[in-house]
Amino acid sequence: QEYTMSSNRGKGANYSEDSITALTKEGLEVDLDMTVLFHLQENQASDVYRELGPNYVKKIIRPAIRSTIRENIANYQAKTLYSEKREEAKKVISENLTKVLEPRGIVIEDVLLRNVKLPQDLSKSIEKKLQAEQDAERYDYLLKKEQKEAKRKRIEAKGQRDSQQIINQGLTNQYLKYQYIKNLKDREGTIYVPTNPNNGVPLFRGL
């Protein structure tokens, strides 16, 4: 079974607006939409009906839920209920509800904190903070992307410089002459004249 208390008409156990208003640690009012899943222990179901009747939900479960939630929400700041402490608060409420209702034959299966409505000013402040955090994360992402691209370009430029340096070191006069002569072999009418490697003077035997 489930019991829901919601600020939306027609969505809770009561047709009218039925959210739970609780005070936070700093004294702010928050409205909570909650759903509690539960069932009766099989060996105690008859006792529950005999002692409380068919309206046992309104007689014991509803009051226990509302009082337990108010007691526990008082330990949290409003902004944390909206974010990082939400799951923790839900777990604590579930554990404390179990302590209250299990001895009466009612087993709590789960507690769903469906909505947390904060005071308007605080809600806007949190939204601005979240937007600022998202903008900062986007800026960091773009900055890291640009840094990686700059690093890639530096590595690429260094590779090109190193490659050019190796090529330049290999371009000796002898190598250039060799390539020049090699390219002349396909030219018709080319006459090869050996030269002195020291002074470049042509060498002619018998002259």
Side-chain angles (χ1 to χ4, degrees):
Q1 300 183 62
E2 70 175 49
Y3 190 85
T4 296
M5 288 164 284
S6 174
S7 58
N8 296 322
R9 291 177 178 272
K11 289 193 175 182
N14 289 348
Y15 181 78
S16 60
E17 194 279 332
D18 194 35
S19 63
I20 304 168
T21 300
L23 292 177
T24 62
K25 191 173 184 178
E26 64 267 58
L28 296 175
E29 284 190 355
V30 293
D31 294 328
L32 308 169
D33 288 2
M34 304 286 298
T35 293
V36 177
L37 305 178
F38 66 94
H39 68 268
L40 297 179
Q41 290 186 13
E42 187 175 351
N43 60 347
Q44 291 183 266
S46 59
D47 295 336
V48 172
Y49 277 98
R50 185 176 62 255
E51 293 176 12
L52 302 172
N55 290 328
Y56 68 90
V57 173
K58 288 187 177 181
K59 288 182 178 180
I60 186 172
I61 293 181
R62 175 183 168 84
I65 293 172
R66 298 181 79 87
S67 63
T68 300
I69 288 172
R70 289 190 176 113
E71 289 173 5
N72 288 278
I73 291 301
N75 297 321
Y76 295 93
Q77 293 183 344
K79 63 180 181 180
T80 62
L81 289 172
Y82 196 76
S83 53
E84 70 267 18
K85 294 291 185 178
R86 186 169 180 151
E87 285 299 314
E88 178 186 308
K90 186 187 82 166
K91 182 180 178 182
V92 171
I93 291 169
S94 179
E95 290 173 350
N96 287 324
L97 263 180
T98 296
K99 292 177 183 178
V100 173
L101 295 176
E102 196 169 75
R104 305 296 298 270
I106 300 166
V107 178
I108 299 299
E109 299 173 8
D110 199 4
V111 171
L112 308 177
L113 182 51
R114 297 169 54 241
N115 186 43
V116 178
K117 185 178 180 181
L118 302 175
Q120 188 173 8
D121 291 343
L122 180 59
S123 180
K124 288 182 178 179
S125 175
I126 291 175
E127 287 176 0
K128 288 181 180 179
K129 181 181 178 182
L130 291 175
Q131 184 62 49
E133 289 176 352
Q134 290 175 358
D135 291 343
E137 288 176 359
R138 175 171 174 76
Y139 174 78
D140 289 342
Y141 167 76
L142 293 175
L143 181 61
K144 289 178 181 178
K145 182 179 178 181
E146 291 299 324
Q147 289 174 341
K148 287 181 180 179
E149 179 63 15
K151 183 178 180 181
R152 184 193 67 79
K153 289 181 178 179
R154 287 196 300 271
I155 293 173
E156 182 179 0
K158 184 177 183 301
Q160 291 176 348
R161 288 196 303 271
D162 292 346
S163 176
Q164 189 62 46
Q165 185 177 2
I166 292 171
I167 292 173
N168 291 339
Q169 289 174 350
L171 293 178
T172 62
N173 287 334
Q174 290 81 0
Y175 179 76
L176 292 174
K177 288 179 181 179
Y178 166 75
Q179 289 295 330
Y180 174 70
I181 294 171
K182 184 179 178 182
N183 290 331
L184 288 175
K185 69 178 182 179
D186 296 327
R187 295 176 60 180
E188 187 176 351
T190 300
I191 300 174
Y192 297 95
V193 178
T195 60
N196 188 317
N198 295 321
N199 53 27
V201 176
L203 298 176
F204 297 98
R205 289 185 179 182
L207 294 179

